[in-house]
């Protein structure tokens, strides 16, 4: 058995230390994370979604390890915040999607485009026009597309969770940050990851995700597994100060 007594968790992952698999740092096991997604309104969550959320939580645990143990370049810290927010927001989106569908609140499609009738081009008052008539046919209800913004609005209006309504604007903000996964979507030359992702956003991600995962509707009895995302008293104070600045 290799001696890891003098190694911090991240040190056990360094190849030069040649620590065997069992001796290395490991994230919380997938079944443990899955256990918090099997109660209450989440009891019938598809296995694939439950596992993907568990994998994402493991990845977030690893990102936390990097922030806790490494002296990183500021840009790298910013990019860890970005990946943390992208991953955490995706977890919330997956949960919201499941809850809306399982509660029969998902948007339904009742009409399907059958054909388009186009007119010839014509001129009127020196302007050119044309007409297009869209013909739809009635179909049996099927799930329509809902973007994350629509999901957030529906979740809030239907009070599916016991989340305070004040939490939803921050979920919307995190959703906007998540969209920064598209590197080419920028409104101005300083609209970059460096300016968009900050420590306070990282704290909001942890706070909101913990609130969602421990919601009363899930009857969660294994909250200890996600203590790593729970904000401490000092961090809560920073969030309160952020609210006051708005």
């Amino acid at each position: 058995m290799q001696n890891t007594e003098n190694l911090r968790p991240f040190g056990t992952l360094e190849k030069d230390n040649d620590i065997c698999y069992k001796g290395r740092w490991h994230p919380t096991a997938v079944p443990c994370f899955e256990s918090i997604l099997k109660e209450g309104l989440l009891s019938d969550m598809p296995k694939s979604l439950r596992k993907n959320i568990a994998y994402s939580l493991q990845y977030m645990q690893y990102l936390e390890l990097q922030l806790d143990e490494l002296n990183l370049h500021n840009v790298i810290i910013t990019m860890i915040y970005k990946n943390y927010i992208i991953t955490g927001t995706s977890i919330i989106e997956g949960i919201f999607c499941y809850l809306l569908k399982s509660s029969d609140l998902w948007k339904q499609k009742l009409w399907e485009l059958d054909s388009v009738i186009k007119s010839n081009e014509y001129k009127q008052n020196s302007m050119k026009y044309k007409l297009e008539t869209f013909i739809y046919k009635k179909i049996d209800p099927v799930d329509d597309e809902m973007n994350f913004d629509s999901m957030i609005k529906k979740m809030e209006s239907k009070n599916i969770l016991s989340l305070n309504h004040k939490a939803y604007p921050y979920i919307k903000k995190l959703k906007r940050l998540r969209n920064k996964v598209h590197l080419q979507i920028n409104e101005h030359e300083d609209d970059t990851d460096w300016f968009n992702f900050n420590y306070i956003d990282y704290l909001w991600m942890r706070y909101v995700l913990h609130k969602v995962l421990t919601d009363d509707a899930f009857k969660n009895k294994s909250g200890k597994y996600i203590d790593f995302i729970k904000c401490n008293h000092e961090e809560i104070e920073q969030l309160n100060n952020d609210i006051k600045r708005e």
Side-chain angles (χ1 to χ4, degrees):
M1 183 70 178
Q2 293 160 299
N3 183 11
T4 59
E5 184 178 345
N6 296 321
L7 290 176
R8 293 182 61 82
F10 205 91
T12 66
L13 302 177
E14 295 177 12
K15 289 184 177 180
D16 286 347
N17 290 326
D18 195 26
I19 304 300
C20 68
Y21 184 78
K22 287 186 177 180
R24 298 174 202 157
W25 173 87
H26 289 84
T28 299
V30 166
C32 294
F33 282 140
E34 286 184 289
S35 69
I36 69 176
L37 303 167
K38 290 183 175 180
E39 304 294 333
L41 294 182
L42 300 180
S43 59
D44 293 323
M45 176 181 279
K47 178 181 177 181
S48 57
L49 176 57
R50 187 179 288 125
K51 284 194 174 294
N52 281 339
I53 291 175
Y55 302 148
S56 294
L57 287 169
Q58 285 189 319
Y59 177 57
M60 293 177 78
Q61 238 181 338
Y62 173 65
L63 294 178
E64 286 281 355
L65 182 69
Q66 293 180 71
L67 293 172
D68 289 344
E69 297 212 354
L70 301 180
N71 286 318
L72 296 163
H73 187 282
N74 287 338
V75 170
I76 302 303
I77 293 174
T78 299
M79 296 309 292
I80 289 177
Y81 292 159
K82 176 179 180 177
N83 280 287
Y84 200 97
I85 289 168
I86 289 172
T87 306
T89 308
S90 295
I91 292 174
I92 293 176
E93 182 180 26
I95 291 173
F96 281 11
C97 176
Y98 166 72
L99 290 173
L100 290 171
K101 287 188 175 183
S102 62
S103 302
D104 293 325
L105 293 171
W106 192 262
K107 181 181 177 183
Q108 295 294 293
K109 183 177 181 180
L110 303 175
W111 296 90
E112 184 176 76
L113 182 64
D114 183 72
S115 58
V116 180
I117 301 173
K118 299 181 180 181
S119 74
N120 293 326
E121 183 181 293
Y122 66 94
K123 198 170 185 179
Q124 182 175 313
N125 298 328
S126 74
M127 297 293 293
K128 291 183 178 180
Y129 298 89
K130 68 175 182 177
L131 295 175
E132 290 187 357
T133 302
F134 294 84
I135 310 298
Y136 289 85
K137 63 180 178 182
K138 191 75 176 283
I139 60 173
D140 292 333
V142 294
D143 287 346
D144 203 350
E145 293 184 6
M146 280 187 77
N147 59 30
F148 193 17
D149 192 54
S150 299
M151 292 184 217
I152 295 170
K153 291 176 181 176
K154 181 74 75 171
M155 288 291 297
E156 183 177 13
S157 66
K158 296 299 181 180
N159 292 312
I160 297 176
L161 300 180
S162 59
L163 272 180
N164 190 304
H165 284 282
K166 293 180 180 178
Y168 284 96
Y170 294 98
I171 297 178
K172 292 176 183 177
K173 179 183 178 182
L174 292 167
K175 182 266 300 181
R176 289 192 294 271
L177 287 174
R178 193 277 300 270
N179 290 345
K180 294 295 180 181
V181 68
H182 303 291
L183 302 184
Q184 74 278 12
I185 299 178
N186 309 296
E187 296 181 2
H188 50 80
E189 63 180 15
D190 288 329
D191 188 12
T192 67
D193 290 343
W194 172 255
F195 291 109
N196 284 318
F197 292 91
N198 302 292
Y199 175 69
I200 198 68
D201 302 316
Y202 154 76
L203 288 186
W204 275 117
M205 184 72 260
R206 285 173 50 197
Y207 178 81
V208 171
L209 181 58
H210 189 268
K211 284 293 183 184
V212 169
L213 290 174
T214 58
D215 193 89
D216 292 341
F218 304 151
K219 301 178 182 178
N220 188 342
K221 298 177 182 178
S222 306
K224 62 182 180 180
Y225 295 128
I226 53 172
D227 278 349
F228 72 95
I229 61 173
K230 186 176 182 179
C231 291
N232 60 35
H233 178 74
E234 181 180 338
E235 291 166 336
I236 293 293
E237 281 300 307
Q238 292 180 68
L239 293 177
N240 286 332
N241 290 333
D242 186 53
I243 293 173
K244 292 175 184 177
R245 284 193 293 269
E246 293 182 351

